[in-house]
């Protein structure tokens, strides 16, 4: 069974750094991509970016380029989302998700993590 | 170039047992590289439809998708209580970035 298990909720102060994770299991993850999706409180879904677990090729939405860093550890099938300096406006639920198809980012997100709530408040 | 996805209406009020029709329009042609998701409060999104018209595993046949190019439709026949939720379309044409629509809230009339 394919599973994406995300790290737990975080409460941080503005200016702090943070890395959240998304660990894959139940499939041979080396040739898949994993994406990140933001959902601001009470708002819709925003596609942030996606990374290849094969070679760490990463594509960002222009809205998030330079604001976050997506990385991955192919050896354990884990993707990461990182902030260098959090802002209150980063308060949101963050989901990781995996396309169904192997070897391409260009597919629907079939599998989803449970979400990680990040709260940034002074 | 970023593809803009526009969903309509923002809110749709329908009675249980009736049909709901949700629309999604893209700013450029997607062929059929479009997905529909359902999200209920406190839950992660769930994939319903991929490649515009193919139901994901376990999705009831009352859900159907249609369209190609720039105009797409999600139809839900004989609405059940569990179908009242927010629905998003997403394009995944070509290379990233991919984009979601702003969502349609389907509420009980």
């Amino acid at each position: 069974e394919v599973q994406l298990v995300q790290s737990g909720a975080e409460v941080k102060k503005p200016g702090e750094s943070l890395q959240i994770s998304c660990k894959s299991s139940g499939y041979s993850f080396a040739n898949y991509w994993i994406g990140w999706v933001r959902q601001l409180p009470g708002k819709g879904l925003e596609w942030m970016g996606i990374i290849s677990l094969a070679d760490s090729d990463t594509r960002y939405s222009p809205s998030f380029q330079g604001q976050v860093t997506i990385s991955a550890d192919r050896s354990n099938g884990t993707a990461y989302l990182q902030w260098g300096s959090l802002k209150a406006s980063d308060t949101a639920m963050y989901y990781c998700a995996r396309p169904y198809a192997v070897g391409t980012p260009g597919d629907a997100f079939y599998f989803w993590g449970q979400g990680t709530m990040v709260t940034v408040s002074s | 170039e970023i593809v803009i996805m526009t969903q309509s209406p923002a809110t749709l009020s329908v009675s249980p047992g009736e049909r709901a029709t949700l629309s999604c329009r893209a700013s450029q042609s997607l062929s059929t590289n479009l997905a529909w998701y359902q999200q209920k409060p406190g839950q992660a999104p769930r994939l319903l439809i991929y490649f515009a018209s193919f139901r994901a595993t376990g999705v009831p046949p009352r859900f159907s998708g249609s369209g190609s190019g720039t105009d797409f439709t999600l139809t839900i026949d004989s609405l059940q209580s569990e179908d009242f939720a927010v629905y998003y379309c997403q394009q995944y044409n070509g290379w990233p970035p991919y984009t979601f629509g702003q969502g349609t809230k389907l509420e009980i009339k």
Side-chain angles (χ1 to χ4, degrees), chain A residues 42-59:
Chain A
K43 302 298 184 183
L45 305 174
E46 299 175 90
W47 193 94
M48 300 178 71
I50 197 165
I51 187 166
S52 166
L53 293 181
D55 60 8
S56 292
D57 183 8
T58 308
R59 308 297 173 107

Side-chain angles (χ1 to χ4, degrees), chain A residues 39 44 47 95 105-106 109-110, chain B residues 2 37 39 43 47 57 88 98:
Chain A
Q39 188 165 38
W47 193 94
Y95 294 101
F109 283 143
Y110 201 100
Chain B
I2 302 298
Y37 301 87
Q39 188 180 33
Q43 296 184 17
L47 177 65
T57 302
Y88 297 93
Y98 304 132

Side-chain angles (χ1 to χ4, degrees), chain A residues 4-114:
Chain A
L4 301 177
V5 179
Q6 298 185 228
S7 50
E10 301 275 1
V11 179
K12 292 289 190 178
K13 296 186 185 316
E16 291 186 334
S17 62
L18 175 65
Q19 180 177 267
I20 63 175
S21 65
C22 170
K23 182 168 177 54
S24 306
S25 64
Y27 69 101
S28 179
F29 36 74
N31 292 313
Y32 286 89
W33 293 66
I34 291 180
W36 287 96
V37 176
R38 184 176 79 173
Q39 188 165 38
L40 296 170
K43 302 298 184 183
L45 305 174
E46 299 175 90
W47 193 94
M48 300 178 71
I50 197 165
I51 187 166
S52 166
L53 293 181
D55 60 8
S56 292
D57 183 8
T58 308
R59 308 297 173 107
Y60 293 93
S61 167
S63 300
F64 293 94
Q65 179 87 47
Q67 307 303 308
V68 296
T69 301
I70 295 172
S71 61
D73 184 340
R74 175 182 175 177
S75 67
N76 62 15
T78 301
Y80 302 93
L81 181 63
Q82 181 179 346
W83 293 262
S85 180
L86 286 160
K87 302 184 283 288
S89 56
D90 293 318
T91 295
M93 180 70 80
Y94 294 87
Y95 294 101
C96 64
R98 202 210 83 180
Y100 186 85
V102 63
T104 175
D107 192 16
F109 283 143
Y110 201 100
F111 303 99
W112 291 74
Q114 82 277 18

Side-chain angles (χ1 to χ4, degrees), chain B residues 25-47:
Chain B
R25 175 166 290 179
S27 60
Q28 64 187 62
S29 179
L30 307 177
S31 182
T32 56
N33 295 309
L34 182 108
W36 289 95
Y37 301 87
Q38 177 193 65
Q39 188 180 33
K40 297 179 180 179
Q43 296 184 17
R46 170 197 180 196
L47 177 65

